[in-house]
């Protein structure tokens, strides 16, 4: 007797063998790109008021993207596969385009971190130009993986056409939260107010991006998680990564409260990405 074919063809899709390494890869790439963009835009618009945290921000962005590349190579299982993809750019291969995009961004992150750390006056304008140009590959890194997931055949991901937008806005929140923590830790008071504004503004934008994401993906998420969807939606994405940090930053400027808001934003972002990666593995 032949095996019956499921009515929903999506159930024939085998979940990818992705777990911890890919969660770390996704989080670190967005932490790096979001931090780079926040620092670069801040440097272009605010100038000297971000001087004390510029070096810290670019070094953090560089460190995060290096760790991200390590996670990516570890997930591939063979370092030679990563370098093989750098031999030739294949525009029709999402993996090739992604590896090249991340590598190009890593070079900009390294250049900005090196010049900001050197603090050589003659390099100041060059560093500013490099940072301005580097915003483009940084935005690509923040957007790329969400778009890649949403164009795959995996349940949940394939339904989330706005996933790239949601993750890229979230990357900005991660970057603002990271720099807010850095500013408080190094005792730089001037950047705190603009960074608070960025965190609150991006949190408001994220509400719209998250609504678009959930509008498309909620039925499949509910199917797979059941009641556990409330932890995913309201806990990790909503209260942890979005609502609480934005509300706290909007109503108070107390350092301990802003530190808690930043930690909630980072913890919620990490948890939501973990859930996102494992969603296709949940049985229906």
């Amino acid at each position: 007797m032949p095996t019956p074919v499921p009515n929903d063809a999506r159930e024939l899709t085998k979940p990818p063998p992705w777990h911890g390494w890919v969660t770390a890869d996704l989080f670190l790439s967005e932490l790096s790109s979001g931090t780079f963009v926040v620092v670069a835009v801040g440097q272009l618009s605010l100038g000297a008021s971000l001087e004390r945290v510029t070096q810290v921000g670019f070094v953090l962005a560089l460190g995060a993207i290096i760790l991200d590349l390590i996670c990516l190579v570890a997930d591939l299982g063979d370092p030679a596969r990563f370098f093989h993809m750098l031999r030739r750019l294949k525009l029709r291969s999402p993996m090739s385009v992604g590896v090249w995009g991340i590598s190009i961004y890593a070079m900009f992150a390294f250049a900005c971190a090196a010049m900001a750390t050197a603090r050589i006056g003659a390099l100041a304008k060059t560093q500013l130009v490099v940072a301005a140009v580097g915003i483009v590959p940084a935005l690509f890194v923040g957007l790329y993986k969400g778009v890649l997931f949403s164009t795959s055949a995996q349940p949940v991901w394939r339904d989330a056409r706005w996933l790239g937008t949601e993750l890229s806005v979230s990357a900005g929140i991660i970057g603002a939260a990271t720099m807010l923590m850095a500013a408080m830790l190094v005792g730089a008071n001037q950047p705190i107010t603009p960074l608070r504004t960025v965190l609150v503004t991006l949190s408001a934008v994220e509400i719209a991006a998250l609504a678009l994401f959930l509008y498309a993906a909620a039925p499949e998420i509910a199917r797979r998680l059941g009641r556990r969807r409330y932890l995913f939606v309201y806990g990790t994405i909503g209260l942890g990564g979005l609502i609480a940090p934005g509300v706290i930053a909007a109503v108070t400027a107390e350092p301990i409260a802003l530190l808690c808001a930043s930690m909630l934003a980072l913890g919620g972002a990490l948890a939501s990405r973990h859930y996102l990666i494992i969603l296709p593995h949940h049985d229906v």
Side-chain angles (χ1 to χ4, degrees):
M1 182 175 180
T3 303
V5 178
N7 293 328
D8 191 344
R10 289 176 296 186
E11 302 307 327
L12 299 177
T13 304
K14 183 179 179 181
W18 293 352
H19 294 287
W21 286 116
V22 178
T23 299
D25 170 24
L26 182 60
F27 177 75
L28 288 169
S29 67
E30 292 182 358
L31 187 153
S32 178
S33 64
T35 300
F36 186 98
V37 171
V38 167
V39 175
V41 171
Q43 195 179 33
L44 290 168
S45 59
L46 301 175
S49 65
L50 278 184
E51 185 176 356
R52 291 189 63 184
V53 296
T54 295
Q55 177 187 354
V56 176
F58 284 132
V59 170
L60 284 173
L62 175 62
I65 200 61
I66 290 174
L67 292 175
D68 172 48
L69 289 171
I70 292 173
C71 291
L72 180 59
V73 171
D75 180 62
L76 290 172
D78 182 3
R81 292 179 63 189
F82 177 84
F83 294 108
H84 177 74
M85 284 187 282
L86 289 174
R87 293 174 57 189
R88 181 182 176 186
L89 174 61
K90 298 179 181 179
L91 295 177
R92 294 186 177 182
S93 169
M95 184 63 74
S96 175
V97 171
V99 167
W100 272 83
I102 292 173
S103 300
I104 291 171
Y105 162 68
M107 290 189 289
F108 278 95
F110 172 78
C112 285
M115 287 187 281
T117 302
R119 292 186 178 180
I120 299 175
L123 293 176
K125 290 185 177 179
T126 302
Q127 187 266 309
L128 200 61
V129 172
V130 173
V133 177
I135 290 173
V136 176
L139 289 173
F140 170 83
V141 171
L143 179 69
Y144 160 72
K145 289 173 183 174
V147 173
L148 180 65
F149 288 170
S150 66
T151 56
S152 73
Q154 292 296 330
V156 183
W157 299 351
R158 62 178 287 175
D159 301 308
R161 295 304 181 189
W162 291 90
L163 182 57
T165 301
E166 194 275 325
L167 289 181
S168 62
V169 176
S170 180
I173 294 175
I174 294 172
T178 300
M179 291 312 302
L180 194 55
M181 292 177 65
M184 289 186 289
L185 291 175
V186 302
N189 295 323
Q190 280 186 307
I192 290 179
T193 297
L195 287 170
R196 277 183 65 207
T197 302
V198 171
L199 181 60
V200 172
T201 302
L202 288 180
S203 295
V205 174
E206 175 74 348
I207 292 175
L210 181 62
L212 290 170
F213 162 67
L214 291 176
Y215 177 78
E220 188 65 26
I221 291 174
R223 239 166 118 263
R224 291 186 167 267
L225 292 183
R227 292 184 177 180
R228 289 173 295 178
R229 69 184 183 274
Y230 298 113
L231 176 62
F232 172 60
V233 176
Y234 300 116
T236 61
I237 292 182
L239 295 177
L242 171 63
I243 298 174
V247 170
I248 292 172
V251 301
T252 181
E254 289 295 324
I256 188 65
L258 293 179
L259 186 62
C260 290
S262 299
M263 293 176 67
L264 279 172
L266 294 174
L270 179 60
S272 65
R273 279 146 185 78
H274 170 68
Y275 264 98
L276 179 66
I277 293 299
I278 67 172
L279 272 174
H281 294 270
H282 281 275
D283 295 329
V284 178

